Amino acid sequence: MLLIPILLLSFFISTPINASAETDLGLNVDAAILIDADTGKILYEQNADAALGIASMTKMMTEYILLDAIDAGTITWDQEYRVTDYTYKMSQNRALSNVPLRADGTYTIRELYEAMAIYSANAATAGIAETIAGTETEFLKLMNKKAEELGLENYKFVNSTGLNNADLNGMQPAGTGPEDENVMSATDVAKLAYHLLKDHPEVLETSSIPKKTFREGTEDAIEMENWNWMLPGLVFEYEGVDGLKTGTTNFAGSCFTGTAERNGTRLIAVVMNAVNEYGIDPVKKARFDAAKQLFDYGFGQFSKQEIVPANYVFEEQKSIPVTKGKEDQVSIGVKDPISIVVKSSEKDLYKPKLILETETLEAAVEEGTVVGKVVIERTEGTDYGYIDGKDFSADVVTTEPVERAGWFSLFFQAIGNFFASIWNGITSFVMGFFS
């Protein structure tokens, strides 16, 4: 009769209680991640490394490659695209997100880009891919090259749009299956969005447009309402949201990469296959509910905190040795301050760690010489790190100059070092002999 109480007592004694249990937001999603858009600091993640369907969130990669081409001057905004049989047939499928294209029509790249970024128009996206690379098959090579440059790890691209290949009228890119679909992990989607905003912040000028008329003033005019319903004036408006991309297919479910800025802090949230309490999302509301939870958590509990002030000095290492100098030590300190986004209640859990890259310097030494770096470590609990997998660091430098000693001083330094080495050798020999 005493066996069960004894076993329970043993369990509670031997199993430590984690006082800082990981946060669980209870999101009804297959995967999610929240990051600080400035530093890439990961604030929350849930099954973030699983490769899942991404649907039209794919178009962020197409936007990235297009904006690269615009910057390089290989593509221009007023350049005209002539509709192909492939894009014409795709554009006539109104069950997909599309602006209808005329079989004999021409459209500027800006028109196609706005249709893609605002209305997630699929044929317009394929037209951009054809303009840049000639064919969508060749465009896939550019997508994979960019993915490699960004350090994406869990992904597979089979087209430029995010559609299932079954929707491409049998004209899917060569080497891909007839029912293949793009997949990425939430981590990689966030990394793609992070670099897109870093390299092309102008993408927000278009992604933030709630509504716009395609080919306004012509008989082809069509009203485009942004599928990002968290934008100002739309049904699930959320303060600060100005991007970035939704996605929906049967395979991927209801997905969203959102970004919002408040009080100088910008966050990026990714949710994949969001569902409501009934396991469905008939009006695509669940993805915005999940994004709202992430944004509320980020803006409500996190803030930018200065962990290391400028000119910070490590008590355990205030200087390093200098040889051949007028001084035999030089002071060191942190050059620039480090501020990171952390939970306001957990600031004291983050401490600076010194990593020296040199143990000594030879004079002359200039002020500001880099001797190492400082990184921030969390002393307890889990730190999710950064989206690029890198430490957020600052240089540790010399805070004063040290002049090189004159030849006379160097001569006596050399003599002193010579006799010191002899004495150390004798001392070591004697201690070894009598030990």
Side-chain angles (χ1 to χ4, degrees):
M1 295 296 293
L2 294 174
L3 181 59
I4 292 177
I6 290 173
L7 286 174
L8 288 174
L9 179 61
S10 173
F11 173 81
F12 284 116
I13 291 175
S14 62
T15 305
I17 298 175
N18 186 354
S20 56
E22 298 306 321
T23 300
D24 182 2
L25 298 182
L27 302 177
N28 291 320
V29 299
D30 281 354
I33 193 169
L34 177 71
I35 70 170
D36 169 43
D38 179 34
T39 63
K41 185 82 174 65
I42 301 173
L43 311 182
Y44 179 85
E45 61 179 29
Q46 178 179 322
N47 195 32
D49 292 327
L52 302 168
I54 56 171
S56 282
M57 294 194 299
T58 300
K59 293 181 175 75
M60 289 190 293
M61 178 61 84
T62 304
E63 291 171 347
Y64 206 137
I65 295 170
L66 171 61
L67 293 172
D68 278 351
I70 293 291
D71 283 354
T74 57
I75 300 291
T76 62
W77 287 120
D78 58 359
Q79 183 172 333
E80 292 193 337
Y81 165 75
R82 183 169 295 279
V83 175
T84 63
D85 185 51
Y86 173 52
T87 54
Y88 170 71
K89 288 181 178 179
M90 188 191 305
S91 75
Q92 302 309 302
N93 187 349
R94 298 310 306 277
L96 307 176
S97 184
N98 268 314
V99 291
L101 303 176
R102 289 181 176 268
D104 58 350
T106 57
Y107 300 83
T108 68
I109 293 302
R110 185 177 296 281
E111 286 178 316
L112 298 181
Y113 170 68
E114 290 178 346
M116 172 177 65
I118 298 169
Y119 199 50
S120 199
N122 290 292
T125 303
I128 289 171
E130 289 180 338
T131 301
I132 294 172
T135 66
E136 194 171 23
T137 297
E138 289 300 309
F139 190 76
L140 284 184
K141 296 178 182 178
L142 299 181
M143 297 176 78
N144 288 320
K145 180 182 178 183
K146 177 59 70 174
E148 185 177 354
E149 289 175 3
L150 298 179
L152 307 190
E153 298 177 354
N154 300 304
Y155 68 93
K156 180 182 179 181
F157 294 118
V158 299
N159 58 55
S160 64
T161 61
L163 291 172
N164 190 292
N165 274 354
D167 293 315
L168 302 183
N169 305 304
M171 294 188 287
Q172 69 271 8
T176 66
E179 296 184 357
D180 282 354
E181 192 163 322
N182 297 331
V183 298
M184 291 176 72
S185 67
T187 297
D188 281 344
V189 174
K191 188 181 295 187
L192 171 61
Y194 170 74
H195 285 285
L196 176 60
L197 293 180
K198 286 285 187 184
D199 292 344
H200 299 292
E202 68 272 18
V203 71
L204 296 175
E205 296 173 8
T206 307
S207 69
S208 62
I209 299 173
K211 296 179 182 180
K212 185 164 186 173
T213 303
F214 181 74
R215 293 227 145 173
E216 187 172 12
T218 73
E219 59 184 25
D220 294 335
I222 180 173
E223 188 70 21
M224 300 186 297
E225 180 177 295
N226 202 313
W227 293 106
N228 177 4
W229 294 346
M230 298 186 84
L231 290 173
L234 300 185
V235 61
F236 301 123
E237 178 179 348
Y238 186 93
E239 181 187 350
V241 167
D242 52 6
L244 196 52
K245 194 69 200 71
T246 58
T248 310
T249 62
N250 290 336
F251 173 71
S254 185
C255 307
F256 180 47
T257 299
T259 183
E261 184 175 26
R262 288 185 182 178
N263 301 319
T265 297
R266 177 174 291 281
L267 302 178
I268 298 171
V270 177
V271 296
M272 304 176 73
N273 192 24
V275 297
N276 62 25
E277 61 269 30
Y278 305 109
I280 59 174
D281 187 18
V283 294
K284 312 297 183 289
K285 179 177 183 293
R287 62 186 171 195
F288 302 123
D289 286 342
K292 179 181 183 300
Q293 283 182 264
L294 287 169
F295 286 140
D296 284 349
Y297 175 66
F299 288 124
Q301 297 199 34
F302 289 80
S303 61
K304 186 167 286 188
Q305 301 280 346
E306 185 178 83
I307 307 300
V308 178
N311 303 314
Y312 177 84
V313 175
F314 293 89
E315 288 299 319
E316 71 278 11
Q317 182 92 47
K318 295 182 178 181
S319 62
I320 61 173
V322 175
T323 61
K324 300 182 180 180
K326 289 185 176 181
E327 307 291 337
D328 59 6
Q329 299 282 325
V330 62
S331 299
I332 61 173
V334 179
K335 181 179 180 181
D336 299 312
I338 297 181
S339 296
I340 61 175
V341 174
V342 298
K343 272 190 178 180
S344 304
S345 60
E346 295 180 349
K347 177 186 176 182
D348 293 340
L349 298 180
Y350 292 86
K351 303 295 181 183
K353 177 183 178 181
L354 172 64
I355 300 176
L356 281 178
E357 296 171 355
T358 181
E359 297 294 332
T360 185
L361 290 173
E362 181 180 321
V365 177
E366 294 183 358
E367 182 179 349
T369 300
V370 177
V371 297
K373 65 179 182 178
V374 56
V375 297
I376 306 301
E377 289 190 337
R378 183 175 172 130
T379 56
E380 64 178 75
T382 300
D383 186 271
Y384 294 121
Y386 294 83
I387 198 69
D388 273 338
K390 302 174 183 176
D391 290 320
F392 195 66
S393 61
D395 287 337
V396 175
V397 300
T398 55
T399 58
E400 58 187 356
V402 175
E403 295 181 17
R404 190 174 178 86
W407 72 267
F408 192 72
S409 297
L410 291 176
F411 173 75
F412 281 102
Q413 283 184 22
I415 293 175
N417 291 336
F418 173 75
F419 283 108
S421 64
I422 293 177
W423 176 253
N424 289 336
I426 294 172
T427 302
S428 298
F429 173 78
V430 172
M431 292 181 66
F433 183 80
F434 286 105
S435 62

